[in-house]
Amino acid sequence: MTSRINWFKYSSPASFYPLAGKLIPAFFAVASLLAVCGLYIGFFVAPTDAQQGEAYRIIFIHVPAAWMSMFLYVVMAFWAGMGLAFNTRLSSMMASAIAPTGALMTFIALWTGALWGKPMWGAWWVWDARLTSELILLFLYLGFMSLQAAIDDPRRADKAGAVIALVGAVNVPIIYFSVQWWNTLHQGASVSLTRNPSMAATMLAGMLIMALAIWIYSIAVVLMRVRSVILERERNSDWVQELTEQQS
Amino acid sequence: MKPPRLLDAWSAVVRRDLLSALRHRADLLTTLIFFVIVASLFPLGVGSDAALLRSIGPGVIWVAALLASILALARLFSGDYADGTLEQLALAPYSLTFLALGKIVAHWLATGLPLVIVAPLLGVQFDLNADALLVLMASLLLGTPTLSLIGAVGAALTLGVRGGGALLSLLILPLYVPVLIFGAGAVEASAAGLGAGAHLSLLGAFLLSALVFAPWATAVSLRIAVE
Amino acid sequence: MKPPRLLDAWSAVVRRDLLSALRHRADLLTTLIFFVIVASLFPLGVGSDAALLRSIGPGVIWVAALLASILALARLFSGDYADGTLEQLALAPYSLTFLALGKIVAHWLATGLPLVIVAPLLGVQFDLNADALLVLMASLLLGTPTLSLIGAVGAALTLGVRGGGALLSLLILPLYVPVLIFGAGAVEASAAGLGAGAHLSLLGAFLLSALVFAPWATAVSLRIAVE
Amino acid sequence: MLVISQLGCVRGERRLFSEISFEIGPHTLLEVRGPNGSGKTSLLRILCGLLHPAAGRVSWNGRDIHELGEEYRAHMAYLGHASAVKDELTAHENLRYSAATAGLAASTTDISTALDTIGLSGFQGIPCKTLSQGQRRRVAFARLYLCSARPLWILDEPFTALDAAALALTRNLLESHLRSGGMLVLTTHQEVEITSPHTQRIDLGI
Amino acid sequence: MLVISQLGCVRGERRLFSEISFEIGPHTLLEVRGPNGSGKTSLLRILCGLLHPAAGRVSWNGRDIHELGEEYRAHMAYLGHASAVKDELTAHENLRYSAATAGLAASTTDISTALDTIGLSGFQGIPCKTLSQGQRRRVAFARLYLCSARPLWILDEPFTALDAAALALTRNLLESHLRSGGMLVLTTHQEVEITSPHTQRIDLGI
Ligand code: HEM
Ligand SMILES: Nc1ncnc2c1ncn2[C@@H]1O[C@H](COP(=O)(O)OP(=O)(O)OP(=O)(O)O)[C@@H](O)[C@H]1O
Ligand SMILES: Nc1ncnc2c1ncn2[C@@H]1O[C@H](COP(=O)(O)OP(=O)(O)OP(=O)(O)O)[C@@H](O)[C@H]1O
Ligand SMILES: [Mg+2]
Ligand SMILES: [Mg+2]
């Protein structure tokens, strides 16, 4: 019972705002610590790959970013759906706050992938299934953000964004599998991602730590963005005005 | 007289939109001509090598169909939104989901079906064989309604939002990818002498799930638009 | 204060449109993203064979630019027409030809220029080499203003004739063909290691003649539209 | 019986009104007055159920209108700033289809009568795009005429663009609706006197 | 001095009016009256030069307005059914750019004064799309305010959507324009009394 009351308390922007404010520094601290560890392992501890040389080390950024880009879309759609179903303002704000970070992660995955692709495949870009679906994911994020940006009434923007996020969420798996099938149909074996199947344990560890770091970093950034969205949307409410008075 | 029932209201929506479309025959032609022109631009941009054209033909025709269908979508709700008809639909004592489905059906009949009928002509331009032409028509017959259904959600979401047309394509084109892949895939498979059955049944499955999900999402978006 | 002169009025038109565009940054992005998405759809329809894609790359990118520019054109005058601004422009004590040119310039700056800048990214997706990428940008830099100028005539015609409008704008599309052929041709020539100079100077010539002819035709069509 | 309780409305960042409560029963005219931008249109759209209020609720015969949904909408007619007249259809076609989609029982003769009554006899068969501003508004009123059986009418500046003759006709229509037990919610900036058994007024300040 | 001679207008297949002749000199108000669809809007658009008449001619100081072109337009202000207000710009920006494109000399303070006068003090800096129907119409009137120096004003149902306060303000504006030697052509279905040194009326039958 008590936990339930707590939950509802923090689902109101007014009480969520200070809570988030307290959590953010902690999240950032943990994220940077993990990132330092992960990068150290990745760049100094992990052995040089037999086939791919030093260039492979970019996976310590590439793979966590790619994972996070997909994960964040699901989380975003979840919050947007909650906002649409239960009309809770905070959930919708979460969704709009997640989108830019998700798009950023997608972009990083694409960029690092392209950087890696040049030495590996001799081309910045190939129409591989995985690459293609990552690109489409980027478009989905951009669509969500453009739609919200194009609508000025925040309540309407939230609802419209939720619809497109949900439609997208239904489609993402379909897109993922169709793209995969498309590629195998066309050039099956020539998709030469010559990967080293038995990844050394240290490499795995480095990657997992980096993934955790990026995860926690995302949480921190999203909380920051939610805080500024709250301030903007509630700037006429009493508690925000008290807050600004206190600060000035 | 008894008041009209749900089905009467539904068919009134369909018939009104078809009549409007007929009054604007030019509009109908536009989508069609756009389809033809886009598909015909390619040989101009790409060069006239026959083998090359044959291998890109199905893809180009499908992309053209997809773009034509987006072009037509911009008009699906915008007229009704501007002149207040949409408000009245939202205030009708019937399920908006169902009425929205009526609008989508009329829209497909007016803009999607003609594409299906004209497509073989374009296929001939790209030197597709008879089997492939049949499969092309079948794939469009299953695929274009799906495009209209998914597109309707986007059209409803972008109502009254400035930048409509381009935003609409941004929202919808990524969602069209599976239809494009299996639509073009079916034709390519058949042109290569393989069976297109698997592709077509997948297209059918997409259509069914879009039928279940899209009208509802469209209705939700329309209510948001008339707020 | 002295009343504004022709150039002041012209720059007010340009600045108003740019400001509107900036207020709707999402609008600007959408044209751009549409360009990127359309170009990316082709591999999905056509297949991922690198050699094939390399050979159709320039054509695909140019067709995508053309479609993106058509899509953006729909908004060039429609807002002004609906809210009465166009009437006021037609009643301004300046040459409408010149004011229309102002709107076209603003429109190109907001929607055409970004295409030129992003195009190389797409070129990379189709595996074009560095020289070809440069020529791609140059050809778009000369070609997209021509598209905006010709397209403006179509957009203005669209306003006047209700319904048949979209059809008229399609009649403009054939006028785009030379631009497409020489634009894509320039890139292909350069990708094949040949000089693209001849193509580019032809594009320049098109641009000049469009500059002379299009604003006038646009103004005439606008006057018809506000009758 | 329409009961409004503690209604509040926020648009953009401005609170337009709050804590508005009233009841409308049969034979009642509710005039909503207020300067430009005071929230009249917003209030009417809330009463229709198009807009969700920031606070409070609207109920019809004791139940929330959003719960009732279609059941409520079957008892209501709304005429907004936009006339819902399709340019490419004739006045007669416009009416036929909009009656069917609105769930109104209307035969062809009913429709012709409605158009004649509102003074569009000669204009039934031509596309509405060639009608003048006021003639289109008359088409919208003809639809209202077909809604006689619905108890609640909600009209947002219905008299714009109407000439004196049309004004008299529409005033008659509204008055007979009230006499026969209807309810009417109305905004207008024009001074149109509508005699009604009961009149209530709401003034929205800015 | 605006001289209209033997003007006739045909729209679609209907002859709206024919052989209309009149003259408007300084201090003169011309009221164009007529039922819906009688051709008031069409007449006004002919006077502006937007529409070409089927017969007759309109001349300004002795020369045909189409010959004069820009020279005529520099002496005229038109306010039509549509307000020419851009949604995404603020009221102030709207005025700044439309003044410049219309060839009006207007400094920033002029514009602020115009907006204040018309009762939009608090609404200068917000995008016009969030204004109500009547507030947008006020923005259009603020532009008219900047046109004080132009002798000929042509207004098509300018008072739609205006509340009582705005009506009084705009009536003042029009009256002082007439007093200072201006000419005014006006259509309206509302009963707005404008006192003017000289008043002429045209009734268009249907
Ligand atoms: C722009 C180019 C690229 C993109 C968009 C991209 C995208 C992705 C994505 C989305 C994942 C996560 C997929 C999953 O977990 O199932 C991933 C993982 C991975 N990528 Fe990339 N990638 C690109 C280039 C490359 C290149 C060039 C290589 C190396 C040859 C590479 C190697 C890997 C590896 C080893 C993984 C982790 C393996 C796994 O979890 O299955 N990627 N990439
Ligand atoms: N979509 C919107 N977003 C933000 N604010 C809005 C929106 N629509 C209206 N408003 C604001 O709400 C206020 C009330 O608008 P509303 O249209 O309800 O006024 P009204 O009383 O009908 O005025 P009028 O008499 O001019 O029609 C206006 O000040 C306007 O600025
Ligand atoms: N574009 C057009 N094509 C054909 N006929 C038209 C067109 N525009 C208007 N008409 C016709 O011209 C007639 C007069 O229209 P106009 O708009 O001038 O009337 P009005 O006097 O301004 O009426 P209102 O008071 O309703 O605004 C109408 O009967 C209409 O049918
Ligand atoms: Mg209003
Ligand atoms: Mg009129």
Side-chain angles (χ1 to χ4, degrees):
Chain A
M1 199 63 209
T2 46
S3 74
R4 189 157 163 226
I5 288 167
N6 259 337
W7 168 252
F8 275 109
K9 176 160 172 253
Y10 288 114
S11 71
S12 109
S15 35
F16 178 82
Y17 184 85
L19 176 71
K22 272 179 242 146
L23 290 179
I24 288 170
F27 277 125
F28 268 125
V30 175
S32 6
L33 201 70
L34 286 173
V36 170
C37 288
L39 288 178
Y40 180 78
I41 295 176
F43 281 82
F44 299 104
V45 181
T48 306
D49 187 271
Q51 292 162 17
Q52 308 180 20
E54 297 294 344
Y56 90 95
R57 290 183 196 277
I58 207 165
I59 57 165
F60 290 108
I61 296 170
H62 170 76
V63 175
W67 284 341
M68 193 51 55
S69 68
M70 292 183 282
F71 178 61
L72 282 179
Y73 192 88
V74 177
V75 178
M76 179 184 86
F78 169 77
W79 283 120
M82 294 291 281
L84 187 66
F86 303 111
N87 211 4
T88 43
R89 283 173 299 164
L90 195 56
S91 333
S92 306
M93 293 183 196
M94 284 294 266
S96 5
I98 289 172
T101 307
L104 180 70
M105 292 300 158
T106 319
F107 188 76
I108 292 177
L110 284 170
W111 192 255
T112 51
L115 280 184
W116 195 4
K118 188 66 181 172
M120 292 311 300
W121 305 323
W124 298 104
W125 182 266
V126 294
W127 290 92
D128 162 69
R130 201 184 292 236
L131 274 58
T132 309
S133 46
E134 188 77 2
L135 183 66
I136 294 168
L137 187 65
L138 179 67
F139 294 146
L140 289 177
Y141 274 120
L142 291 176
F144 177 83
M145 293 193 309
S146 305
L147 182 64
Q148 291 214 319
I151 303 176
D152 302 275
D153 183 12
R155 268 177 21 143
R156 201 182 144 187
D158 284 344
K159 289 188 194 169
V163 173
I164 201 67
L166 288 177
V167 173
V170 172
N171 263 277
V172 163
I174 302 178
I175 292 173
Y176 187 76
F177 288 113
S178 6
V179 171
Q180 227 159 23
W181 200 25
W182 162 70
N183 200 269
T184 46
L185 267 183
H186 284 288
Q187 59 168 47
S190 72
V191 185
S192 52
L193 283 173
T194 45
R195 287 180 186 156
N196 187 351
S198 55
M199 217 185 284
T202 37
M203 281 157 88
L204 187 65
M207 232 154 66
L208 285 178
I209 292 175
M210 279 305 291
L212 205 59
I214 289 192
W215 190 13
I216 293 175
Y217 160 83
S218 306
I219 295 178
V221 174
V222 167
L223 287 182
M224 265 174 69
R225 212 173 280 118
V226 168
R227 264 167 64 100
S228 63
V229 173
I230 290 178
L231 268 199
E232 198 190 315
R233 293 214 189 155
E234 311 247 315
R235 64 168 166 268
N236 291 332
S237 68
D238 299 336
W239 70 269
V240 171
Q241 276 171 359
E242 272 168 32
L243 202 75
T244 40
E245 271 163 29
Q246 277 170 21
Q247 280 169 358
S248 61
Chain B
M1 272 188 82
K2 279 184 299 181
R5 269 160 314 166
L6 179 53
L7 225 68
D8 301 333
W10 190 81
S11 81
V13 170
V14 176
R15 277 179 297 130
R16 169 164 63 189
D17 279 15
L18 285 179
L19 188 61
S20 289
L22 267 185
R23 289 277 155 80
H24 281 279
R25 233 155 304 164
D27 268 17
L28 296 187
L29 278 178
T30 317
T31 318
L32 209 58
I33 297 179
F34 183 82
F35 177 52
V36 175
I37 291 187
V38 169
S40 319
L41 280 181
F42 268 90
L44 295 175
V46 164
S48 55
D49 177 41
L52 181 69
L53 286 181
R54 199 173 314 123
S55 69
I56 65 170
V60 166
I61 294 175
W62 254 96
V63 172
L66 210 140
L67 293 174
S69 118
I70 289 239
L71 190 80
L73 273 174
R75 273 183 319 228
L76 174 50
F77 298 113
S78 62
D80 284 4
Y81 179 72
D83 68 17
T85 307
L86 200 57
E87 268 168 25
Q88 296 293 345
L89 279 187
L91 291 176
Y94 303 110
S95 140
L96 186 56
T97 305
F98 211 60
L99 299 183
L101 180 62
K103 284 197 67 73
I104 300 172
V105 167
H107 183 258
W108 180 77
L109 288 175
T111 64
L113 197 55
L115 297 192
V116 180
I117 294 168
V118 154
L121 275 184
L122 294 181
V124 169
Q125 279 193 341
F126 287 94
D127 202 19
L128 295 183
N129 61 34
D131 270 357
L133 289 181
L134 262 184
V135 172
L136 177 64
M137 281 186 83
S139 70
L140 285 170
L141 202 58
L142 288 169
T144 49
T146 317
L147 298 183
S148 296
L149 283 162
I150 301 178
V153 183
L157 281 174
T158 49
L159 276 183
V161 176
R162 292 213 356 154
L167 183 56
L168 171 64
S169 1
L170 167 56
L171 291 179
I172 291 307
L173 280 176
L175 301 180
Y176 278 0
V177 164
V179 182
L180 171 64
I181 288 178
F182 291 104
V187 188
E188 272 156 22
S190 139
L194 308 169
H199 290 90
L200 291 180
S201 44
L202 262 170
L203 283 177
F206 291 155
L207 176 55
L208 284 183
S209 44
L211 256 177
V212 171
F213 190 66
W216 171 80
T218 307
V220 172
S221 318
L222 288 177
R223 287 220 181 273
I224 297 171
V226 293
E227 261 225 340
Chain C
M1 273 187 81
K2 278 184 299 181
R5 271 161 313 167
L6 179 53
L7 223 69
D8 301 333
W10 189 80
S11 83
V13 170
V14 176
R15 276 179 298 131
R16 170 163 63 189
D17 280 15
L18 285 180
L19 187 62
S20 289
L22 266 186
R23 285 280 152 79
H24 283 278
R25 232 156 304 164
D27 268 23
L28 297 187
L29 277 180
T30 24
T31 316
L32 206 59
I33 298 176
F34 177 81
F35 177 51
V36 177
I37 293 186
V38 170
S40 316
L41 279 181
F42 274 97
L44 294 174
V46 166
S48 55
D49 178 45
L52 180 70
L53 288 179
R54 200 172 312 124
S55 69
I56 66 171
V60 166
I61 295 174
W62 254 96
V63 171
L66 206 144
L67 294 175
S69 118
I70 290 199
L71 202 74
L73 274 173
R75 269 174 322 195
L76 175 49
F77 298 113
S78 63
D80 283 5
Y81 181 68
D83 68 16
T85 306
L86 200 58
E87 268 168 25
Q88 296 294 343
L89 279 186
L91 292 175
Y94 304 110
S95 140
L96 186 56
T97 305
F98 212 60
L99 298 183
L101 179 62
K103 284 196 67 74
I104 300 173
V105 168
H107 183 258
W108 180 75
L109 286 176
T111 65
L113 195 55
L115 297 191
V116 181
I117 295 167
V118 222
L121 269 186
L122 295 182
V124 167
Q125 283 196 330
F126 287 93
D127 206 17
L128 297 181
N129 61 33
D131 271 357
L133 289 181
L134 264 183
V135 173
L136 177 65
M137 281 185 84
S139 69
L140 285 171
L141 201 59
L142 290 168
T144 49
T146 317
L147 297 183
S148 295
L149 284 161
I150 301 178
V153 182
L157 280 173
T158 309
L159 294 176
V161 189
R162 275 188 245 179
L167 183 60
L168 277 172
S169 73
L170 279 183
L171 297 184
I172 294 297
L173 236 137
L175 295 180
Y176 280 180
V177 167
V179 182
L180 172 66
I181 290 180
F182 290 102
V187 187
E188 271 155 23
S190 141
L194 310 169
H199 290 91
L200 291 181
S201 45
L202 261 171
L203 283 178
F206 291 153
L207 176 56
L208 285 183
S209 44
L211 256 179
V212 172
F213 185 67
W216 171 80
T218 307
V220 171
S221 318
L222 287 178
R223 286 222 181 271
I224 296 173
V226 293
E227 261 226 340
Chain D
M1 184 73 155
L2 190 71
V3 179
I4 282 89
S5 52
Q6 302 291 327
L7 216 56
C9 173
V10 177
R11 296 226 74 173
E13 281 142 32
R14 297 199 24 247
R15 170 170 302 278
L16 294 179
F17 50 79
S18 54
E19 315 232 328
I20 287 194
S21 304
F22 54 86
E23 292 184 20
I24 316 173
H27 301 286
T28 309
L29 161 67
L30 175 70
E31 271 186 52
V32 181
R33 293 272 164 158
N36 293 141
S38 54
K40 300 179 296 301
T41 300
S42 310
L43 175 60
L44 263 53
R45 292 175 80 87
I46 291 175
L47 297 190
C48 291
L50 284 176
L51 194 64
H52 286 260
R57 46 181 260 152
V58 182
S59 48
W60 174 253
N61 293 336
R63 290 179 56 197
D64 191 284
I65 57 168
H66 290 284
E67 258 171 49
L68 283 172
E70 297 165 20
E71 220 172 306
Y72 172 62
R73 302 204 293 269
H75 291 103
M76 189 209 57
Y78 173 71
L79 176 56
H81 280 302
S83 302
V85 172
K86 287 245 150 280
D87 272 355
E88 58 276 8
L89 302 184
T90 67
H92 196 279
E93 288 162 350
N94 256 303
L95 235 54
R96 182 162 79 234
Y97 294 120
S98 64
T101 54
L104 298 167
S107 66
T108 313
T109 36
D110 290 345
I111 291 171
S112 298
T113 321
L115 287 169
D116 288 349
T117 317
I118 210 76
L120 287 174
S121 324
F123 296 86
Q124 297 207 2
I126 59 173
C128 286
K129 74 169 144 246
T130 63
L131 296 183
S132 80
Q133 198 84 342
Q135 287 168 328
R136 293 151 151 273
R137 199 66 180 165
R138 289 178 187 220
V139 177
F141 259 104
R143 191 181 55 236
L144 205 58
Y145 186 88
L146 296 177
C147 294
S148 322
R150 302 203 165 171
L152 176 63
W153 289 5
I154 299 182
L155 314 180
D156 195 0
E157 300 200 27
F159 307 118
T160 10
L162 293 181
D163 60 13
L167 212 63
L169 283 171
T170 53
R171 205 170 50 197
N172 274 343
L173 179 62
L174 302 188
E175 285 172 356
S176 75
H177 175 67
L178 285 167
R179 267 198 310 279
S180 62
M183 309 167 211
L184 181 58
V185 182
L186 185 79
T187 73
T188 175
H189 290 301
Q190 279 164 272
E191 287 306 326
V192 180
E193 277 308 318
I194 295 173
T195 49
S196 132
H198 303 279
T199 303
Q200 295 182 19
R201 263 183 77 148
I202 290 196
D203 273 284
L204 298 178
I206 195 156
Chain E
M1 185 73 153
L2 190 71
V3 179
I4 282 89
S5 54
Q6 301 292 327
L7 216 56
C9 172
V10 177
R11 296 226 74 173
E13 279 140 33
R14 298 197 23 246
R15 169 169 303 278
L16 293 180
F17 51 79
S18 53
E19 316 231 326
I20 289 192
S21 304
F22 53 86
E23 292 184 21
I24 316 173
H27 301 286
T28 309
L29 161 67
L30 174 71
E31 270 186 50
V32 181
R33 291 273 163 159
N36 293 138
S38 54
K40 300 179 295 301
T41 299
S42 310
L43 175 58
L44 263 54
R45 292 175 81 87
I46 291 175
L47 296 190
C48 291
L50 284 175
L51 195 65
H52 286 260
R57 46 180 260 150
V58 182
S59 48
W60 175 253
N61 293 336
R63 290 179 56 200
D64 191 284
I65 57 168
H66 290 283
E67 257 171 48
L68 282 173
E70 297 165 19
E71 220 173 305
Y72 172 62
R73 302 204 292 268
H75 291 103
M76 189 210 57
Y78 174 69
L79 175 56
H81 279 303
S83 303
V85 172
K86 287 245 150 279
D87 272 355
E88 59 275 9
L89 302 185
T90 66
H92 195 279
E93 287 161 352
N94 256 303
L95 236 54
R96 182 162 78 234
Y97 294 119
S98 63
T101 53
L104 298 167
S107 67
T108 313
T109 36
D110 291 345
I111 292 171
S112 297
T113 320
L115 287 169
D116 288 349
T117 317
I118 210 76
L120 286 174
S121 324
F123 296 86
Q124 298 206 2
I126 58 173
C128 285
K129 74 168 138 252
T130 62
L131 296 183
S132 80
Q133 199 84 343
Q135 287 168 327
R136 292 151 152 270
R137 200 66 182 167
R138 288 176 187 223
V139 177
F141 260 104
R143 192 181 54 235
L144 206 58
Y145 186 89
L146 297 176
C147 294
S148 322
R150 302 203 165 171
L152 176 62
W153 288 6
I154 299 182
L155 314 180
D156 194 0
E157 300 201 28
F159 307 118
T160 11
L162 293 181
D163 59 13
L167 212 64
L169 283 171
T170 53
R171 205 171 50 197
N172 275 343
L173 179 61
L174 302 188
E175 285 171 355
S176 74
H177 174 68
L178 285 166
R179 265 199 312 279
S180 61
M183 310 166 211
L184 180 59
V185 181
L186 185 79
T187 74
T188 174
H189 291 300
Q190 277 163 273
E191 287 306 326
V192 180
E193 277 308 318
I194 295 174
T195 49
S196 130
H198 303 280
T199 303
Q200 296 182 18
R201 264 182 77 147
I202 290 196
D203 271 285
L204 298 177
I206 195 155

